[in-house]
Amino acid sequence: MTECDRTIRLYYLFSITRFPVFWGTIIITYIMEVGQMTLSEVYNFEMWCVIIVAALQVPTGAYADLVGRVRALKIGLVFLILQGIAFVLADGPFLIWVSNILWAIGFSFASGADSAFLYDTLLDYGREKEFRKIQGRALAYALALTAVLAPLAGHLAAWNIRAPLMADVVILCIGLFFACKLSEPAHHTQGTKRSAGRQICLGAREVATHPRIIWLIAFMVTIAVTGKLWFFTYNPYFKHVGMPIHQFGYLFCLMNVIAATSGYYADSQAKRLSSKQSVTFILLAIAIPIWLMGAWVSKGAALLVLFQQWVRGYLKPFVDGLFQSEVASDKRATVASVQSMAAGLLEVLCLAWFSKVTEEHTLPVALQGLGITALAVGLVLIATYGKVFKENDSEATKGDAAEATLSLESESEVRKTANM
């Protein structure tokens, strides 16, 4: 086994243990019951968490680019473990707040550093063309583990609602162990002679002067914000249509199976579709099911969340493949953090809006409003895609991909020369 293959295998193991895998099944129910919050209060609570993430994203991204991606990942895991412990011990709003603040810090350190680590590791070995496939499989394995454990999470929660969160702390500790086994890509071991302020300015300039990066950030922000608002309605919607909590796990299992399958085959899906076709399907698969869940309230409509799972598995490998090819190597984590910060700032506004909507209207009405809004924004993005990427048909897509591949090959040759 080569050193690159060893690193890829470690990355897979790290990916399946780097975030809590049990809590998605019951997280909103847990916050509402143990934290004694209404759904509207949960949105307000999440809004403040997002503000913290937005404030930390760019500095932590610059830290990852300047000091090291692996070190940033290890720091992120330590804070996520502390978050899990605070969550388990919570008995009211205070420790729920503390937990989410710790989560915001941990997420900020890990966000962007993971993709930058993988891409630059592959670039060091001349295997960057495999990025989308490896990233998709890493996500698929993580989702598959979540799928396997989801039914258990539902039954554990029915027995003791804290039990799934205790198990997550153990999994995060295993994730930290694997993070400690990762090795920094070669160019990071050489050091970068820049201040953090200079790195942030360069990352911001990289975004401001590249229309494609701006469009990709707008696209990712739209999907991320809409997906989060939708996800927060899962548990309340399931309860609203009369689904018992132990059945949540089975539905989450099915959701993660679909997401894992989509992620595993992300590379082959992307090769069959033009980029514009992928963008269109992703946006429609988010907006239309949300509206339908609000218009057709039933247990059957709850299955429409499965559309989001296809997007969930496909989105990161697809967009990261486009995104990484547009960004200079020494700014990857910083620019990714600019994207996350933009998402965070918009999330704050949307969470405040959706909190007000859920307070004044029924959940079905709120979902219809969210779906219509997402569809309107999605249509604008679809309409502007061709102008930004100069892609009016699938042949243009292939031309853009070939040009990006030549650019990546050139960067790889420069990296190999520098490391000799």
Side-chain angles (χ1 to χ4, degrees):
M1 182 187 298
T2 66
E3 185 63 26
C4 186
D5 289 331
R6 174 186 171 276
T7 301
I8 291 170
R9 181 169 293 183
L10 277 173
Y11 185 77
Y12 286 150
L13 293 171
F14 167 72
S15 295
I16 66 176
T17 54
R18 57 174 295 197
F19 286 125
V21 295
F22 279 101
W23 75 343
T25 306
I26 51 94
I27 182 66
I28 303 304
T29 298
Y30 185 88
I31 293 174
M32 293 176 71
E33 292 184 5
V34 175
Q36 301 162 23
M37 297 179 181
T38 65
L39 182 58
S40 177
E41 289 171 337
V42 170
Y43 279 110
N44 279 322
F45 159 75
E46 181 65 15
M47 179 181 69
W48 286 104
C49 179
V50 169
I51 290 173
I52 297 170
V53 171
L56 293 175
Q57 280 288 344
V58 177
T60 53
Y63 177 90
D65 277 332
L66 292 172
V67 179
R69 281 76 187 267
V70 173
R71 186 173 296 183
L73 291 173
K74 288 189 284 190
I75 292 172
L77 261 294
V78 169
F79 276 100
L80 289 175
I81 290 169
L82 294 175
Q83 166 266 320
I85 294 171
F87 225 13
V88 169
L89 298 176
D91 190 19
F94 176 73
L95 279 182
I96 294 290
W97 277 93
V98 171
S99 175
N100 254 30
I101 291 170
L102 292 169
W103 178 89
I105 298 171
F107 175 83
S108 297
F109 272 101
S111 176
D114 54 348
S115 297
F117 163 81
L118 176 61
Y119 195 87
D120 279 321
T121 296
L122 295 174
L123 201 56
D124 282 337
Y125 290 94
R127 295 175 60 177
E128 64 277 4
K129 292 180 183 178
E130 299 177 49
F131 172 80
R132 189 168 58 196
K133 180 178 73 174
I134 294 170
Q135 183 76 302
R137 290 189 176 182
L139 179 61
Y141 296 148
L143 293 170
L145 178 63
T146 304
V148 170
L149 296 178
L152 177 60
H155 285 288
L156 283 174
W159 169 65
N160 184 333
I161 200 166
R162 299 177 194 273
L165 305 178
M166 296 177 188
D168 272 332
V169 173
V170 176
I171 289 174
L172 289 169
C173 289
I174 297 172
L176 179 59
F177 170 80
F178 288 127
C180 291
K181 295 289 184 180
L182 295 173
S183 299
E184 201 69 55
H187 73 292
H188 271 302
T189 64
Q190 299 165 5
T192 304
K193 304 296 184 181
R194 286 181 194 153
S195 67
R198 175 66 175 162
Q199 180 70 17
I200 291 170
C201 289
L202 288 173
R205 184 184 301 171
E206 185 90 358
V207 173
T209 56
H210 287 75
R212 290 185 176 191
I213 295 177
I214 293 172
W215 190 95
L216 286 169
I217 288 175
F219 174 70
M220 285 294 288
V221 166
T222 300
I223 301 302
V225 172
T226 305
K228 175 169 282 191
L229 295 177
W230 189 10
F231 173 76
F232 275 31
T233 68
Y234 280 12
N235 285 174
Y237 190 90
F238 298 162
K239 292 182 73 174
H240 183 76
V241 297
M243 186 181 297
I245 192 169
H246 71 271
Q247 291 183 3
F248 289 13
Y250 293 101
L251 181 53
F252 270 82
C253 174
L254 179 59
M255 287 160 53
N256 283 288
V257 166
I258 291 174
T261 304
S262 179
Y264 191 86
Y265 292 105
D267 188 50
S268 59
Q269 290 182 81
K271 289 176 180 176
R272 290 191 183 97
L273 302 172
S274 72
S275 294
K276 188 172 183 179
Q277 287 173 333
S278 291
V279 164
T280 302
F281 289 151
I282 287 169
L283 288 165
L284 295 182
I286 287 288
I288 294 175
I290 294 175
W291 176 80
L292 284 173
M293 282 180 67
W296 173 45
V297 181
S298 65
K299 287 185 179 180
L303 295 176
L304 290 169
V305 300
L306 298 178
F307 282 92
Q308 188 184 18
Q309 309 316 307
W310 173 78
V311 173
R312 184 176 162 214
Y314 183 52
L315 182 68
K316 185 173 176 62
F318 167 69
V319 175
D320 274 0
L322 296 175
F323 190 80
Q324 300 292 347
S325 66
E326 298 288 343
V327 182
S329 175
D330 61 335
K331 307 180 191 75
R332 294 197 200 284
T334 307
V335 173
S337 295
V338 171
Q339 170 205 306
S340 296
M341 183 187 71
L345 294 175
L346 185 60
E347 277 182 28
V348 169
L349 298 175
C350 291
L351 285 165
W353 164 69
F354 208 61
S355 171
K356 194 71 174 174
V357 170
T358 55
E359 186 177 6
E360 296 180 353
H361 300 281
T362 63
L363 182 58
V365 170
L367 285 169
Q368 290 182 62
L370 177 60
I372 291 170
T373 304
L375 182 60
V377 175
L379 291 175
V380 172
L381 288 168
I382 293 168
T384 56
Y385 181 89
K387 180 181 292 186
V388 173
F389 287 83
K390 296 183 175 59
E391 175 187 295
N392 295 317
D393 52 43
S394 60
E395 291 303 315
T397 303
K398 294 175 184 176
D400 283 347
E403 182 181 347
T405 299
L406 288 173
S407 174
L408 290 174
E409 289 172 348
S410 299
E411 184 178 352
S412 180
E413 290 302 317
V414 170
R415 177 71 60 77
K416 289 176 188 174
T417 303
N419 290 336
M420 289 178 64

